[in-house]
Amino acid sequence: MKRGLVVLDHDEIPESEWTSRVGTLQERLAADGIDIALVYGDVYRSDDIGYLTNLCIYWNEGVVAVPAEGEPSFLTKLSPRVHIWMRRTSKVSDLHSGRAFGPLVAGLLDGREPGVAGLVDAALWPAALVTELTGALPGWELRPLGGLVREQRLRPSPNETALIRDATALLDEALRQAVAPGLTPADRVSVVERTLRRGGYTEVLVDTASAQDDAVSVDVTGQYRHNWLRAARTVADPGGASPTGALEAALDAAIGAVAAGTAESALRYAALPALTAFPDGTEAEVRWIDQADLSTGGDYRPPGEDVRLEQGSVGAVAIELILPGGGRAVVADTVRVGPGSAERLTGSREPRS
């Protein structure tokens, strides 16, 4: 369940940008002959809905229906009691509640000639829901679509990028406190949760791990407004001998390789020299995860895909080690891809010594 402050502030994201987000999707629908697009979300994966409407799926499920022309509608299994709050904090005013999405969508389309209803990111829809809609919409073609909204989210706008920058200092401070010596894993999680929630983060995911007896990792992925950031640190207790400096050097090298058009594999190659400091048998993974995919840890990417970084995109460069003894260590920072280098958003802006 998501918790935190839901903000609709036109000084942060102006009205024109909200209108443009929906309008860009509608242009694509019209070009592809789609009468209405259905965008599904639940508490685990709802960023497309947030991006289009500012709605926060804090519990349960929801579907945004975007016609090729006209205003979007929001369908939810939540009680109508939440409609007042949703209208005040979102960009959608046409709200419908019911026990099942089949009847809700059928009711919304009642009186319209059957046409094409597109399922955005269809591969991620629950199969039972697709079956339900098929039965509820006789005569309609249900057309599977790709990640049309996700594609719009891959390069944050200047306003979104400003919000991401606003959120970085808070994440850095939370991590600084969380890696202090002497804290228990529960203490570290509590510090991060308390700091980020108070600062306006809606979602906070914290993972702690022990690299060796003298080192600890704290890995944080957080949502601020509808954007995501990730940062992780591995530190040794005073007097420890873990080669945490080598891990930081590997992260610096990987971030140093970030540039528009660079393949993700180039980040791995850049990090390899520093990773030789670790014992034989160490398994190392170097990843780029776009901020549009951080809510799910990039789990839905096709296996083996060698992503090429796009100018203006924001994402996390992360290095995770599995040590021969079973320990784990993680470092990560969020960066923005520039034409020839990266802007490091979390962590030091200068190379570490």
Side-chain angles (χ1 to χ4, degrees):
M1 179 172 168
K2 290 181 183 288
R3 296 175 285 123
L5 183 65
V6 179
V7 174
L8 179 62
D9 185 342
H10 290 299
D11 288 335
E12 293 181 350
I13 305 293
E15 180 70 30
S16 58
E17 187 165 325
W18 288 109
T19 302
S20 176
R21 291 176 180 181
V22 174
T24 298
L25 177 59
Q26 289 176 319
E27 290 174 5
R28 180 75 177 271
L29 300 179
D32 292 344
I34 297 164
D35 298 287
I36 191 165
L38 303 176
V39 183
Y40 172 82
D42 55 24
V43 69
Y44 182 60
R45 188 181 57 83
S46 61
D47 297 320
D48 285 358
I49 289 178
Y51 175 83
L52 292 174
T53 67
N54 201 54
L55 282 164
C56 176
I57 309 298
Y58 64 92
W59 193 25
N60 211 284
E61 303 167 283
V63 172
V64 170
V66 182
E69 294 183 8
E71 296 298 316
S73 301
F74 182 62
L75 316 176
T76 179
K77 295 179 182 179
L78 291 172
S79 163
R81 290 178 297 177
V82 302
H83 288 188
I84 295 174
W85 168 75
M86 286 183 170
R87 288 192 177 97
R88 288 177 176 173
T89 60
S90 78
K91 299 303 299 176
V92 62
S93 58
D94 187 37
L95 307 171
H96 304 265
S97 291
R99 293 185 176 181
F101 288 117
L104 283 170
V105 175
L108 183 68
L109 299 178
D110 186 38
R112 295 185 55 161
E113 288 293 323
V116 179
L119 305 184
V120 175
D121 244 341
L124 303 183
W125 278 61
L129 178 52
V130 176
T131 300
E132 179 185 324
L133 291 177
T134 302
L137 301 175
W140 281 82
E141 176 192 347
L142 287 187
R143 184 179 299 176
L145 305 177
L148 303 187
V149 182
R150 176 189 174 277
E151 291 170 9
Q152 292 182 212
R153 295 168 45 222
L154 287 176
R155 287 187 289 182
S157 70
N159 292 308
E160 292 174 294
T161 303
L163 288 172
I164 292 172
R165 290 194 180 103
D166 288 345
T168 58
L170 200 62
L171 179 51
D172 284 339
E173 175 59 21
L175 271 174
R176 185 190 68 78
Q177 296 180 40
V179 296
L183 298 181
T184 67
D187 290 337
R188 299 184 197 280
V189 172
S190 177
V191 164
V192 173
E193 283 269 1
R194 182 171 61 250
T195 303
L196 296 187
R197 296 289 188 187
R198 288 177 176 174
Y201 274 69
T202 307
E203 183 72 284
V204 180
L205 308 171
V206 190
D207 185 28
T208 64
S210 295
Q212 293 175 355
D213 291 341
D214 57 359
V216 64
S217 291
V218 180
D219 185 1
V220 181
T221 300
Q223 183 184 34
Y224 185 79
R225 304 301 188 255
H226 295 289
N227 303 292
W228 289 82
L229 302 87
R230 180 183 179 187
R233 301 287 177 264
T234 295
V235 297
D237 283 340
S242 295
T244 56
L247 192 51
E248 293 290 330
L251 181 62
D252 288 338
I255 292 175
V258 170
T262 298
E264 182 181 24
S265 56
L267 278 56
R268 300 189 188 105
Y269 290 126
L272 281 177
L275 295 175
T276 60
F278 293 91
D280 291 342
T282 299
E283 297 180 17
E285 182 179 50
V286 182
R287 299 185 70 193
W288 162 267
I289 305 176
D290 193 281
Q291 70 92 27
D293 300 314
L294 277 173
S295 63
T296 56
D299 290 345
Y300 294 120
R301 275 179 45 184
E305 180 184 29
D306 194 8
V307 175
R308 288 199 173 271
L309 281 53
E310 296 186 22
Q311 183 171 338
S313 62
V314 172
V317 178
I319 301 178
E320 180 173 352
L321 301 184
I322 305 297
L323 299 169
R328 186 163 65 89
V330 186
V331 289
D333 270 315
T334 300
V335 305
R336 182 175 183 273
V337 180
S341 62
E343 175 190 359
R344 197 167 193 159
L345 299 173
T346 57
S348 173
R349 301 309 198 269
E350 300 297 329
R352 297 178 176 87
S353 59

